[in-house]
């Protein structure tokens, strides 16, 4: 891949104007390192376009000269796909316009730089609900969560980001604009290009705006933290919760004792609502369109669960502040693990019915491979997505432990594959897993994805180190 010459850099600067670029090391620094400090890259220039037209100009210039581009949203990704290593870095954070909010269509159109939390607020201001929620929602942007097909805590009821997008506007690798901002629920007119762009991690174009689905605001919500003795009991409890609420379960989050203990240890002002901290905890949220309906459903569920021996203890949030406190305990899990020195982190999915078996088999295999390892498990059990993290033993040499990451992860991922699971459930492949996933995907899958990419981006300028592409010279 051709590095940008001084002349190309000057052309980009002129096209975007003085507020649309930077080469200042202090300004660039936050864009070049990912949250876990695993990747720190470099770029000859940071582009910060403020309009779709400016994105179009920048991509067209890079395409004309064969210069590679890394699109970046809020830089909250965990697999390194947003970090440049010599490529031009294009941030979408200045694309901030609210194009349209139409409650009668249950839709809103936002530009890519708006954060997920801001999107939720825009929906609420219109009397509607936008359901995607994740721990990084204050920094993760709409363009980023589309490009990674983010999931979060409410996939159980509302689906992944792929299920929440009605239309997309994107600048394609040749600099043309795909104008696909529709509010339609039905459009059977051939290939759905927006679905190719969702989850493509910036390899097929730069998402600049999207039309998103909105939902009614539920009239009541109820949240509880419950204690279980086994992971298997949580699967039975989930089935019972679906039955008792008629589909009213919005979130069902499983947490192992180790992770809970580390939250209390490493996150200020944290207190687990169950004492002692149980072997397994589940955070349940139920929502209903009927005032008081969620509370009634939750009480009935807990009564049945106690009678059937599925749970051993429970704490019900009594107000919004307690509800937020319960959720904070779940959302701070990743931050709570970070002070332990790093770990082998896995974002995997397996069939819901096999979750308990997978946890048992994977943990036994990890302990054979590295006897001092500590295993933390948490995640969205309602959709089969587990964050299966392996930490060094207390007092263990951390660099030596991290040096075993690749082989240790293969131990976990081989078991995931035997369970017909996925080694990336919601974070994408990025630089971290692009090569590794070829071990688990068929040659047909890899070749087909490479062919699609080659057809849309024949010069290979869009995020060239990520996902499958025809063989090209590296940058």
């Amino acid at each position: 891949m051709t590095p940008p010459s001084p002349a190309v850099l000057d052309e980009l600067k002129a096209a975007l104007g003085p507020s649309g670029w930077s080469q200042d090391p202090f300004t660039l620094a936050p864009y070049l390192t990912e949250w876990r400090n695993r990747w720190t890259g470099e770029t000859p220039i940071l582009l910060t376009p403020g309009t779709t037209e400016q994105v179009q100009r920048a991509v067209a210039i890079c395409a004309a000269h064969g210069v590679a581009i890394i699109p970046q949203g809020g830089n909250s990704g965990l697999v390194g796909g947003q970090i440049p290593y010599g490529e031009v870095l294009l941030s979408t954070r200045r694309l901030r316009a609210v194009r349209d909010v139409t409650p009668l269509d249950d839709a809103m159109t936002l530009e890519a730089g708006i954060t997920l939390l801001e999107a939720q607020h825009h929906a609420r201001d219109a009397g509607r609900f936008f359901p995607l929620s994740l721990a990084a929602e204050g920094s993760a942007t709409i363009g980023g969560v589309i490009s990674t097909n983010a999931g979060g805590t409410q996939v159980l009821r509302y689906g992944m980001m792929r299920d929440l997008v009605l239309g997309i506007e994107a600048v394609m690798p040749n600099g043309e604009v795909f104008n696909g901002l529709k509010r339609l629920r039905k459009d059977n007119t051939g290939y759905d290009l927006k679905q190719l762009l969702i989850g493509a991690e910036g390899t097929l174009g730069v998402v600049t705006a999207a039309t998103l689905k909105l939902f009614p605001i539920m009239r009541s919500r109820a949240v509880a933290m419950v204690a279980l003795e086994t992971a298997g009991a949580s699967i039975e409890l989930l089935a019972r919760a679906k039955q008792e609420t008629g589909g009213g379960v919005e979130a069902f989050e499983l947490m192992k004792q180790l992770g809970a203990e580390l939250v209390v240890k490493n996150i200020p002002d944290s207190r687990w609502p169950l004492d002692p901290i149980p072997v397994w905890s589940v955070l349940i949220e139920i929502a209903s369109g009927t005032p008081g309906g969620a509370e009634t459903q939750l009480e009935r569920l807990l009564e049945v669960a106690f009678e059937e021996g599925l749970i051993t203890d429970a704490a019900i949030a009594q107000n919004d502040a307690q509800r937020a406190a319960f959720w904070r305990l779940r959302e701070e899990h990743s931050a709570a693990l970070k002070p332990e020195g790093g770990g082998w982190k896995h974002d995997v999915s397996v069939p819901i019915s096999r979750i308990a078996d997978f946890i048992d088999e994977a943990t036994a295999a990890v302990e054979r491979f590295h006897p001092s390892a500590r295993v933390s498990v948490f995640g969205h059990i309602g959709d089969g997505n587990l964050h299966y993290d392996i930490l060094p033993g207390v007092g263990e040499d951390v660099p030596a432990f991290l040096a075993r990451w690749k082989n240790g992860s293969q131990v976990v991922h081989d078991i995931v594959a035997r369970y017909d699971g996925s080694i990336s459930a919601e974070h994408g492949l990025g630089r971290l897993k692009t090569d590794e996933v070829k071990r688990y995907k068929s040659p047909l899958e890899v070749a087909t994805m490479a062919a699609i990419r080659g057809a849309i981006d024949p010069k290979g300028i869009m995020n060239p180190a990520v996902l499958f592409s025809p063989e090209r010279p590296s940058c």
Side-chain angles (χ1 to χ4, degrees), residues 53-330:
E53 291 72 23
Q54 289 186 337
V55 176
Q56 182 181 16
R57 288 180 217 147
V59 173
I61 292 168
C62 290
H65 297 281
V67 170
I69 306 168
I70 304 293
Q72 185 184 102
N75 194 18
S76 59
L78 298 177
V79 292
Q82 76 279 22
I83 302 299
Y85 282 82
E87 302 93 341
V88 168
L89 180 60
L90 190 154
S91 171
T92 59
R93 293 188 199 182
R94 289 184 61 227
L95 300 175
R96 300 278 303 155
V98 177
R99 301 265 188 99
D100 183 56
V101 180
T102 314
L104 290 178
D105 287 327
D106 285 325
M108 64 181 177
T109 301
L110 308 177
E111 291 192 346
I114 289 176
T115 68
L116 184 52
L117 184 62
E118 290 169 335
Q120 295 166 3
H121 290 165
H122 288 308
R124 190 177 306 125
D125 290 344
R128 294 294 187 269
F129 175 59
F130 182 66
L132 192 72
S133 178
L134 41 83
E137 61 192 24
S139 55
T141 62
I142 293 300
V145 296
I146 288 174
S147 295
T148 57
N149 186 30
T153 59
Q154 294 178 307
V155 173
L156 174 60
R157 188 168 191 173
Y158 297 100
M160 301 280 283
M161 192 64 182
R162 185 180 302 282
D163 302 297
L164 302 174
V165 176
L166 293 171
I168 281 179
E169 175 189 87
V171 176
M172 305 305 286
N174 64 358
E176 293 186 57
V177 177
F178 167 58
N179 294 299
L181 292 176
K182 296 182 178 181
R183 299 197 293 267
L184 301 178
R185 262 67 176 177
K186 291 184 175 181
D187 183 358
N188 264 335
T189 54
Y191 301 133
D192 192 343
L193 183 54
K194 76 173 184 295
Q195 290 295 345
L196 285 177
L197 290 162
I198 299 170
E201 300 187 46
T203 61
L204 301 181
V206 181
V207 174
T208 52
T211 300
L212 307 175
K213 292 181 184 178
L214 301 180
F215 297 84
I217 294 176
M218 294 291 101
R219 304 292 296 278
S220 61
R221 289 182 178 275
V223 173
M225 187 82 77
V226 303
L228 307 92
E229 294 182 346
T230 67
S234 69
I235 309 303
E236 297 180 48
L237 179 61
L238 174 61
R240 174 61 74 181
K242 291 178 180 178
Q243 178 181 343
E244 292 294 329
T245 66
V249 183
E250 287 210 348
F252 199 90
E253 300 287 302
L254 180 69
M255 294 162 282
K256 193 178 180 182
Q257 185 177 35
L258 174 62
E261 290 172 342
L262 293 178
V263 169
V264 174
K265 172 189 172 187
N266 294 328
I267 302 301
D269 302 318
S270 296
R271 184 182 68 83
W272 210 257
L274 303 173
D275 187 20
I277 295 176
V279 178
W280 292 98
S281 299
V282 167
L283 179 65
I284 306 170
E285 178 159 345
I286 294 171
S288 171
T290 304
E295 293 84 351
T296 300
Q297 290 177 341
L298 179 61
E299 290 174 5
R300 184 170 65 246
L301 169 63
L302 296 181
E303 181 179 348
V304 171
F306 273 118
E307 290 175 354
E308 296 182 355
L310 297 176
I311 63 176
T312 59
D313 198 2
I316 300 175
Q318 299 299 312
N319 49 50
D320 288 344
Q322 284 191 2
R323 174 175 171 266
F326 283 14
W327 269 109
R328 180 171 177 261
L329 297 172
R330 162 59 185 88

Side-chain angles (χ1 to χ4, degrees), residues 322-359:
Q322 284 191 2
R323 174 175 171 266
F326 283 14
W327 269 109
R328 180 171 177 261
L329 297 172
R330 162 59 185 88
E331 291 166 348
E332 293 285 7
H333 259 64
S334 291
L337 302 186
K338 194 173 182 181
E340 299 301 303
W344 314 334
K345 299 181 75 66
H346 307 92
D347 161 43
V348 302
S349 62
V350 296
I352 295 172
S353 62
R354 304 300 306 280
I355 284 176
D357 295 334
F358 164 76
I359 292 173

